Amino acid sequence: MPAFAVTALLLAVGCSAPPQQSSAADRARETAQVSGDATASAARADGRSLAVAAGPAATATTATGSVGSGRKAHRTTLAVSSYDGRTRRAVISAPNKGSSASPSAAPGASSRPSASASASASPSAGPGRATVGDVIASAPAPGAPDGLLAKVTRVIGETAEGTEVQTEPATLDALLGDDTAKGTVPVAPDAFAVDKLLPDVEVSWARPGDVHVGPEGATVPLGSLRLDVSAEIPAAAGAPASASASASVSGFVQVAPRVDFAYGGAGAGSAPGSAYLGVSGDWDSGWAVEGRAAAAAAPLRIPFAKLHADPVLQVGPVPVVVNLDLTCYLQITGDGRITVDVRQSLKGDFKAGGTFGTARGWTPVSGSDMTGTPVRASATTAGEVRTALGAEASVGLYGAVGVVADLAPYLRGEASGTVTADSATPGAQAHGAWSLYGGVDLSGTLRLQLSVFGTPVLRRNVPLGVLHREWKLADGSL
């Protein structure tokens, strides 16, 4: 059967270069650049806003007085020694108390500590103990792997580990008050815990000092994380048992994620005037599909890796713990008739999040610009196929998911017509047409947990809306 081959160059806007990744110590000192996605926020009385930077590896617990006390949020030497999510009881210790006075669950840890509130009684109470009305913000700690944001409602007593307290959920406005903050912080690639869901997955990243993880010869820009994958696709039902009746997908995803955060105070004792939470980053992907994929009523989605990180943003004196999850996947849709050999590569940037303003409440923010590299594709017989190599991201604060976004760059090819052959006539006759398209889909949801900022609670989940762009690469006739 005759085949057609197409080579096309995708023309689109350029993408920003991946950010340079600094060391952990440098990241703790640097102030993040201002995010253009955040809503405008009310200025502080002194005209300044709180700095937003990557938190140090061991971020101190922060406490403030009860609402209306006039006490500003401040750093303390206290730490969360343990927390029980079921009872919401925490043990708060001074540096000289207990064996785990500082948070020990580092971002990206592959295993999380279990909740525990057991401790033996101690008759003495050390200085600097937590009191009723304090709002505690903590980096990841034993029993609170996603960080802790809670208000002390009762002091239970002293233990060998520290002061045991009863808590209830708190919101960020109790700590940030009428301050403002706005910034973007990159997430270090080595902060991610990677769970490989398929056997043929390779992880690569690099950081300053000639530190490299991944296959030999794999070149990854500083600040980016790369995953290479290959997988077999189920053969079409009823297809002949030959090499042309099976399909395979291989490719890579390279991403440099960033967390976007903003808060705008509107005065003491009131909800913030503005807020923003989102994820953005630089994207690079390339993939190949070969063979004949099975027909299916729904797209065949194959997750190949899950990534998790808990970066800590230092917003002035307050450690804000962001929970970031990425699930990378392959997806293919076909009618089971077309046999393809497709190569595609896309790079660019993306952003997805939720922004709050007093006039409109919570509204979605999303965008993506992609630049393509030369595409090669061939197909035999009539049919349609679509392939995507994408990632689903979720971002939240202190364990409460706020935004879920699905980014899916794709390539779509279609061919129509007939192919005939006759033993009395040499050769074959072909009549038909083909088209090749590139595109990107970005969709997602805002969740009611964004109320952790102290804004009014969402009554329902709000769709981000579908950002859909498709462009024709080339077409022709057989």
Side-chain angles (χ1 to χ4, degrees):
M1 295 187 180
F4 68 81
V6 180
T7 301
L9 177 64
L10 191 75
L11 299 177
V13 296
C15 69
S16 55
Q20 293 297 311
Q21 182 65 52
S22 57
S23 67
D26 291 337
R27 294 197 305 270
R29 292 190 295 266
E30 292 174 352
T31 298
Q33 70 182 65
V34 172
S35 166
D37 298 330
T39 56
S41 58
R44 290 176 60 186
D46 57 8
R48 294 179 298 164
S49 61
L50 298 176
V52 179
T59 306
T61 301
T62 299
T64 187
S66 58
V67 176
S69 68
R71 293 176 60 196
K72 282 285 189 180
H74 60 281
R75 296 193 188 205
T76 77
T77 56
L78 300 177
V80 177
S81 293
S82 65
Y83 178 72
D84 189 326
R86 182 180 60 84
T87 63
R88 291 178 178 165
R89 290 187 176 185
V91 176
I92 310 298
S93 64
N96 59 346
K97 277 217 170 191
S99 59
S100 56
S102 60
S104 60
S110 57
S111 61
R112 299 182 175 187
S114 59
S116 173
S118 60
S120 59
S122 172
S124 62
R129 55 177 287 180
T131 59
V132 173
D134 283 352
V135 175
I136 305 297
S138 172
D146 298 319
L148 181 64
L149 179 62
K151 179 181 177 180
V152 177
T153 59
R154 182 166 66 98
V155 176
I156 298 172
E158 294 299 313
T159 72
E161 293 288 329
T163 304
E164 185 177 13
V165 297
Q166 183 68 52
T167 70
E168 66 181 17
T171 54
L172 275 173
D173 59 322
L175 287 169
L176 297 178
D178 58 356
D179 285 329
T180 66
K182 184 166 59 175
T184 294
V185 174
V187 182
D190 55 331
F192 283 97
V194 181
D195 183 11
K196 301 178 183 179
L197 304 180
L198 293 179
D200 295 327
V201 176
E202 297 283 354
V203 181
S204 307
W205 55 262
R207 72 182 185 197
D210 254 351
V211 179
H212 175 269
V213 169
E216 290 293 331
T219 303
V220 183
L222 297 179
S224 292
L225 179 73
R226 172 169 168 149
L227 295 99
D228 289 79
V229 63
S230 60
E232 295 297 318
I233 303 297
S242 66
S244 62
S246 61
S248 63
V249 178
S250 61
F252 75 91
V253 168
Q254 183 174 287
V255 61
R258 300 184 290 269
V259 174
D260 305 322
F261 175 90
Y263 173 93
S270 63
S274 63
Y276 180 85
L277 179 66
V279 60
S280 62
D282 298 311
W283 175 276
D284 192 353
S285 63
W287 69 100
V289 181
E290 297 180 87
R292 184 179 176 191
L300 177 63
R301 190 170 176 128
I302 307 174
F304 61 87
K306 290 186 176 181
L307 300 85
H308 177 84
D310 296 299
V312 179
L313 308 185
Q314 195 67 41
V315 182
V318 181
V320 176
V321 183
V322 180
N323 314 119
L324 182 60
D325 289 276
L326 295 172
T327 300
C328 298
Y329 64 86
L330 299 161
Q331 186 166 293
I332 186 166
T333 307
D335 56 14
R337 296 182 295 148
I338 190 170
T339 301
V340 296
D341 181 356
V342 178
R343 302 284 191 275
Q344 166 72 327
S345 180
L346 284 176
K347 62 166 48 179
D349 53 37
F350 66 95
K351 59 182 177 182
T355 183
F356 174 80
T358 53
R360 299 180 59 190
W362 280 104
T363 55
V365 172
S366 62
S368 178
D369 288 325
M370 292 289 170
T371 300
T373 58
V375 178
R376 180 173 72 83
S378 64
T380 60
T381 74
E384 182 173 354
V385 68
R386 169 174 157 153
T387 64
L389 189 63
E392 182 179 88
S394 69
V395 59
L397 300 176
Y398 303 103
V401 176
V403 179
V404 176
D406 194 335
L407 177 68
Y410 68 86
L411 179 71
R412 183 171 68 88
E414 58 185 22
S416 61
T418 59
V419 179
T420 60
D422 191 317
S423 59
T425 305
Q429 296 178 343
H431 304 279
W434 55 264
S435 297
L436 184 66
Y437 302 87
V440 60
D441 286 334
L442 178 60
S443 59
T445 306
L446 301 185
R447 302 284 180 86
L448 59 86
Q449 288 93 334
L450 278 172
S451 59
V452 73
F453 279 94
T455 61
V457 176
L458 286 173
R459 297 302 177 188
R460 58 183 176 81
N461 290 339
V462 178
L464 284 179
V466 177
L467 173 68
H468 174 75
R469 292 180 56 231
E470 184 175 274
W471 50 89
K472 180 177 286 189
L473 300 174
D475 57 12
S477 60
L478 294 174

